[in-house]
Amino acid sequence: MRVATALRTTGTVWIAPLVLGWVWLVTAHEASNEPAYWAGNTVLVGHALPFYAPACAAFAAWEAGRLRRAGVHRLGAVRGRYAIAFSVLWPVALLGVAAVVACLITVRLQTGVAHDWPHPGVLATAGYLIVVHTVVGYGLGMMLPRILATPVILVVDYLCLVMPVTITSPMWLRELTGWLDAPYGDVTITVNPTALVVPMLMATGFLAAVLVSAEIARWRRNRFVRIGAAAVASAVCLGVFTASAVAPVRDWTGDPPPQARTDAPVCADGSPRVCVPVEAAASLGPLTEASKEVVPLLVGAGLKPPKELAFVSEAAHIDKQTWRLFLYRDMRDVDLKASVAASALPVIPPCDTSTDVQEGNVGTLAAWLMVKAGLGEEAIRGQYSEKRAADPRLASVVRKVTKLSPEEQLSWYTRNVRLLQQCKPAPETMPAAPPVEG
């Protein structure tokens, strides 16, 4: 009976359709092109956070104003303050939980049946942030005028979630909010746990500030003493937890570092063996056929035969006898052959140099591998349509190299791979600059 009464008297019931509608719209749009991979797609729960967390905070402030207006805290102490707060806040938090469930259902309908389960870390982070936003909204609602509290908290909370993403210096600011980037269809990675812990630490600072201030408010001291003590205590809580949250991410320069999957892949035995994540199992047959054609050609060009071809994240450690594949949707036979050929290129570490130059170096070496694998120039150019490897001048470099003897070509390849792995210039892989007219 009390549950029915709480749901009947709370305003969240009326706003719930709007909140859930926004969550559905955002999630459906982002999930429409994603594979059925829960470890990545659960991130959409965090991506939709600005559409339900501010609503929870705003309606918690509304409930606080309603209690203040009714003078509930001035009545006899039948129930404690925290029991009263819980009785009005659980329907608000339930709105956030319903939004998370709606997000998961939308992902399931958009992507289909997945082989895994929703990521528990993302769900735990979302649940904790719902609680913190609700409590903070309630605390601010106890201090601000009722007519202003709800709209002000709604707008400010939303802006605090979305604005840090627009700031490029410092980059770590965006990691503190809990608003996660939408997934990009990469089934070789999972969620970086640091990206989940950091916003929880930051949220704990706000939660601690509200709870400490609530206790200080009960002191039988001068009003200005209580306000000053609450301000100092809140600043200490926020400072300590903010420093703890910033420490692990202050060196990040963009998205969280990729976290490679650790679950077992599916493999097709052969020479070499081909392994892919379970979501890409349909590609095993075509990849195996492509490897049977391409690998012998590359071995004939002087490369050591691999024991395994693996579609894994760049963050995953692989040995020298494993070639790292790349895969994407709707790959043609020529694309699969290009993937197998390019996988022979060893790991090239990121260096303190121009990204375009490094991509051009690597692109030339990969193009040579594809030539040795029997691919034509047009097919090779199609693999790098958005990179410098599409530069027609690179084709002239590859044509020049292929005119050398097989031994000289292999020497050229190994020499330039070694230079790139040592972050040294590899000018032989770059085309000559076009002549300047005038």
Side-chain angles (χ1 to χ4, degrees):
M1 188 66 179
R2 289 181 178 179
V3 173
T5 302
L7 293 176
R8 187 177 65 252
T9 58
T10 182
T12 57
V13 173
W14 302 103
I15 200 64
L18 180 61
V19 173
L20 299 180
W22 272 111
V23 170
W24 170 81
L25 186 66
V26 172
T27 307
H29 172 73
E30 296 293 348
S32 57
N33 293 316
E34 296 296 329
Y37 174 46
W38 269 122
N41 294 342
T42 316
V43 169
L44 288 170
V45 170
H47 188 68
L49 185 71
F51 300 95
Y52 58 84
C56 291
F59 270 89
W62 175 266
E63 295 294 345
R66 190 163 63 89
L67 293 179
R68 287 176 59 195
R69 183 178 181 182
V72 171
H73 293 297
R74 295 192 300 269
L75 300 177
V78 177
R79 291 187 298 169
R81 292 188 306 162
Y82 293 113
I84 295 173
F86 178 80
S87 66
V88 298
L89 291 183
W90 73 260
V92 180
L94 185 62
L95 172 63
V97 174
V100 170
V101 173
C103 181
L104 296 176
I105 292 175
T106 305
V107 171
R108 169 63 176 79
L109 294 176
Q110 289 289 331
T111 62
V113 180
H115 297 278
D116 54 353
W117 295 91
H119 195 286
V122 176
L123 298 182
T125 299
Y128 187 71
L129 293 180
I130 288 170
V131 172
V132 173
H133 280 260
T134 301
V135 172
V136 171
Y138 181 83
L140 293 176
M142 283 293 179
M143 297 185 296
L144 298 175
R146 184 188 185 196
I147 195 171
L148 293 177
T150 297
V152 167
I153 292 174
L154 179 65
V155 173
V156 171
D157 196 4
Y158 176 81
L159 292 178
C160 286
L161 287 174
V162 301
M163 289 299 291
V165 180
T166 66
I167 299 173
T168 58
S169 182
M171 289 289 285
W172 50 258
L173 195 61
R174 65 185 61 194
E175 306 298 336
L176 306 182
T177 65
W179 186 26
L180 304 177
D181 285 335
Y184 299 105
D186 191 347
V187 298
T188 68
I189 62 174
T190 186
V191 183
N192 190 316
T194 304
L196 302 178
V197 173
V198 164
M200 295 176 70
L201 284 172
M202 189 67 191
T204 302
F206 283 96
L207 181 63
V210 170
L211 296 179
V212 170
S213 298
E215 290 302 317
I216 292 176
R218 303 179 66 182
W219 290 1
R220 296 183 180 275
R221 301 284 182 88
N222 181 279
R223 180 182 179 184
F224 293 103
V225 172
R226 284 181 286 141
I227 292 175
V232 171
S234 297
V236 171
C237 291
L238 291 175
V240 170
F241 283 98
T242 299
S244 301
V246 171
V249 299
R250 62 184 177 185
D251 294 329
W252 290 8
T253 57
D255 295 331
Q259 187 83 6
R261 294 177 67 166
T262 57
D263 53 319
V266 291
C267 299
D269 292 330
S271 182
R273 188 173 69 157
V274 181
C275 293
V276 297
V278 63
E279 292 80 8
S283 300
L284 269 180
L287 271 174
T288 302
E289 293 302 316
S291 67
K292 290 179 180 178
E293 182 175 342
V294 171
V295 171
L297 294 174
L298 295 179
V299 172
L303 275 66
K304 294 182 179 180
K307 287 187 176 180
E308 182 175 294
L309 304 179
F311 177 42
V312 294
S313 167
E314 292 184 359
H317 174 74
I318 57 174
D319 57 40
K320 293 182 179 180
Q321 294 182 307
T322 299
W323 293 1
R324 195 194 312 271
L325 296 164
F326 66 85
L327 284 179
Y328 52 85
R329 288 186 178 183
D330 303 321
M331 291 182 72
R332 302 167 297 168
D333 181 61
V334 66
D335 301 323
L336 295 172
K337 292 179 180 178
S339 175
V340 174
S343 69
L345 191 65
V347 176
I348 306 296
C351 304
D352 294 332
T353 184
S354 168
T355 301
D356 289 340
V357 170
Q358 192 173 14
E359 286 180 352
N361 293 139
V362 175
T364 305
L365 297 175
W368 178 81
L369 289 169
M370 293 178 193
V371 168
K372 305 310 289 184
L375 274 68
E377 185 174 316
E378 289 299 321
I380 295 171
R381 190 175 299 172
Q383 303 301 318
Y384 299 93
S385 59
E386 296 182 359
K387 296 184 178 181
R388 285 200 61 185
D391 191 330
R393 293 177 296 150
L394 291 181
S396 66
V397 177
V398 176
R399 282 196 296 267
K400 180 180 177 180
V401 172
T402 52
K403 291 179 181 179
L404 302 175
S405 67
E407 293 78 13
E408 290 175 319
Q409 291 184 49
L410 181 62
S411 176
W412 169 87
Y413 172 78
T414 55
R415 179 171 62 254
N416 286 286
V417 165
R418 190 179 304 111
L419 289 172
L420 291 178
Q421 288 180 324
Q422 296 172 356
C423 290
K424 295 181 178 179
E428 294 178 358
T429 64
M430 295 299 294
V436 179
E437 298 181 0

